Amino acid sequence: MKELVLKKFAEVFGDAEGAKAYFAPGRVNMIGEHTDYNGGHVFPCALTIGTYGVARKRADKKLRFYSMNFEKLGVIESSLEDLKPYPEADWTNYPKGVMWAFEQKGMELPCGMDLLLNGNIPNGSGLSSSASVEVLTGFILRDFFGFDVTNQDLALIGQFAENKFNKVNCGIMDQFAIAMGKAGNAIFLDTATLEYEYAPIKLENAKIVIACSNKKRGLGDSKYNERRSECETALAELRQVVRIESLGELDEETFEKFASIIKSDVRRKRAKHAVYENQRTVRAVAALRANDVKLFGELMNASHVSLRDDYEVTGIELDTLVEEAWKVEGVIGSRMTGAGFGGCTVSIVKDEAIDTFIAQVGKAYEEKIGYAADFYVVEIGDGPVIL
Ligand code: GLA
């Protein structure tokens, strides 16, 4: 891939002299969905698929962008002097947002760059192609200009860019999973404190299989921000009767004790999901540590049910993929992953069942939905690297 992107860079920008190649992963979340903006736990991992980038400093303040995933757009030009937080509708908002965020945090960029990207994560699939581009951009800026920032800072800067420049109120999970990724491990992250631990994913004779619904969505056009504010309102209501900073501080029992203070049924369901999902995530990680993959899978299934019935972020595409997966013998667990409303599911499937899984779920999905899903058997990879 390195040769391919360098060659393309030379083709697009004249030559590749002085250009460097980089990679940042995508991520999949195993469990802990819609908990990261509720002060709860998440359990994501970085993937070996992600975004490849080639970058070169310029002598002026110009920015030239090219994506091999959006070749029709050609070279998109901009300038460091024109980094405004007004979202237009193209992908350069992600790298531009990160450059803007560095400057907002007092790290001035001395010169512009030419940047070429090539991602092998399906776009808009819920595997964080945008967070991958954000972390990659921050990683390049640190490498180019020697800014004193850790990988964790790169995650926070990426999230800041996403929140303030792209106006999506996302939590920290995606950027953190990407910036801090470690091969073979998922990251058990407490989003209230940013304390984290790596937990090896030992699946014995099984693999992680991602099914992409091919129903496109962007967080901006989804009901993501709406869910977030429903949870905020529910929290405010609960705070009238219990001293908490976030929904993540409640266990199921305490939640049930005070839930009636939440005025609307819908908001009560949203808060219930946030509380139960957080507790499920803690339990799932304990199960995995005890080598109880079966229980981990059952908790993944319960997570999907809660996202479907209480949080209502699944939809017919994701429900079909998951419910068909549950029917296949050798599926240990299956759930939607990421924000929902389209995107992907994640399943743990026994090695000998993978072919049947792909054939059976794929067929049922196409029959019901009218177009095909894509399947990826994935590996857990490291965070960003210079190639
Ligand atoms: C998106 C957001 C994350 C997280 C998930 C849902 O991926 O970017 O911060 O909220 O949705 O768990």
Side-chain angles (χ1 to χ4, degrees):
M1 187 65 98
K2 183 180 172 189
E3 286 67 39
L4 177 89
V5 284
L6 282 167
K7 188 163 161 267
K8 190 72 186 180
F9 185 94
E11 232 174 273
V12 172
F13 295 116
D15 61 69
E17 214 168 302
K20 274 175 92 170
Y22 303 83
F23 171 79
R27 70 97 186 88
V28 66
N29 188 22
M30 298 305 294
I31 192 162
E33 218 65 83
H34 289 280
T35 48
D36 68 344
Y37 50 85
N38 285 310
H41 293 79
V42 291
F43 196 51
C45 42
L47 297 171
T48 53
I49 52 174
T51 315
Y52 291 82
V54 179
R56 177 171 60 194
K57 283 186 210 168
R58 296 182 53 89
D60 54 21
K61 295 258 171 173
K62 254 197 201 168
L63 299 167
R64 291 196 296 174
F65 299 104
Y66 186 89
S67 168
M68 292 171 70
N69 301 95
F70 300 101
E71 299 216 290
K72 280 203 194 112
L73 297 179
V75 175
I76 299 171
E77 292 210 10
S78 187
S79 160
L80 283 178
E81 272 140 10
D82 189 33
L83 294 175
K84 288 195 205 79
Y86 300 121
E88 311 131 23
D90 78 61
W91 68 271
T92 62
N93 274 326
Y94 295 113
K96 281 198 298 202
V98 172
M99 293 172 187
W100 172 86
F102 268 80
E103 299 210 321
Q104 290 290 307
K105 296 195 176 288
M107 291 171 276
E108 209 179 309
L109 309 184
C111 63
M113 69 167 77
D114 292 336
L115 176 67
L116 173 137
L117 297 186
N118 186 24
N120 57 0
I121 320 169
N123 294 315
S125 64
L127 301 180
S128 291
S129 53
S130 46
S132 177
V133 171
E134 286 161 355
V135 172
L136 183 80
T137 306
F139 188 77
I140 292 171
L141 294 177
R142 179 176 71 188
D143 186 48
F144 273 10
F145 306 123
F147 295 126
D148 185 17
V149 286
T150 62
N151 274 26
Q152 187 166 318
D153 296 331
L154 293 181
L156 288 162
I157 294 169
Q159 184 200 18
F160 180 78
E162 180 94 36
N163 292 167
K164 305 289 179 207
F165 196 92
N166 285 295
K167 307 274 193 263
V168 174
N169 253 330
C170 69
I172 189 61
M173 171 170 74
D174 304 348
Q175 290 83 2
F176 199 97
I178 289 166
M180 306 295 283
K182 183 172 167 188
N185 286 263
I187 308 174
F188 183 42
L189 170 68
D190 180 345
T191 63
T193 58
L194 294 191
E195 274 167 31
Y196 66 96
E197 282 168 24
Y198 290 106
I201 300 279
K202 286 178 288 178
L203 299 177
E204 305 291 322
N205 303 315
K207 298 221 161 40
I208 301 173
V209 185
I210 288 173
C212 181
S213 69
N214 287 322
K215 182 187 181 204
K216 294 275 184 278
R217 51 131 213 110
L219 289 187
D221 53 46
S222 72
K223 294 197 172 292
Y224 186 88
N225 286 350
E226 184 183 300
R227 288 294 177 280
R228 189 164 177 157
S229 74
E230 286 165 345
C231 287
E232 277 160 14
T233 309
L235 173 65
E237 291 170 292
L238 282 164
R239 279 164 61 102
Q240 295 166 21
V241 287
V242 55
R243 288 176 66 132
I244 48 168
E245 296 300 320
S246 71
L247 295 174
E249 288 173 31
L250 293 176
D251 58 22
E252 295 98 329
E253 212 186 335
T254 319
F255 173 75
E256 295 301 346
K257 191 165 149 205
F258 294 113
S260 61
I261 193 80
I262 303 173
K263 296 281 171 318
S264 98
D265 293 346
V266 168
R267 276 202 304 278
R268 204 174 310 117
K269 286 203 291 183
R270 307 297 190 243
K272 180 178 178 197
H273 167 78
V275 170
Y276 280 62
E277 178 75 354
N278 179 43
Q279 298 297 326
R280 237 188 321 269
T281 305
V282 173
R283 245 171 251 142
V285 176
L288 197 67
R289 288 201 163 123
N291 282 321
D292 193 344
V293 181
K294 185 168 170 282
L295 177 56
F296 186 86
E298 285 164 12
L299 292 162
M300 286 175 78
N301 298 346
S303 164
H304 186 84
V305 170
S306 177
L307 289 156
R308 182 190 66 194
D309 299 344
D310 287 337
Y311 219 62
E312 297 181 281
V313 290
T314 56
I316 186 165
E317 296 84 2
L318 293 172
D319 288 338
T320 302
L321 286 174
V322 166
E323 285 158 21
E324 291 300 327
W326 289 341
K327 293 180 191 162
V328 179
E329 211 189 329
V331 170
I332 297 169
S334 184
R335 57 181 289 276
M336 59 149 270
T337 184
F341 313 103
C344 290
T345 67
V346 58
S347 308
I348 300 179
V349 187
K350 288 197 176 144
D351 288 337
E352 68 271 15
I354 292 178
D355 291 344
T356 318
F357 171 85
I358 295 175
Q360 206 171 305
V361 177
K363 182 164 178 282
Y365 183 79
E366 193 161 355
E367 273 169 18
K368 188 153 179 186
I369 307 297
Y371 51 85
D374 289 317
F375 295 86
Y376 305 84
V377 179
V378 295
E379 303 285 336
I380 304 177
D382 283 314
V385 285
I386 302 174
L387 296 175

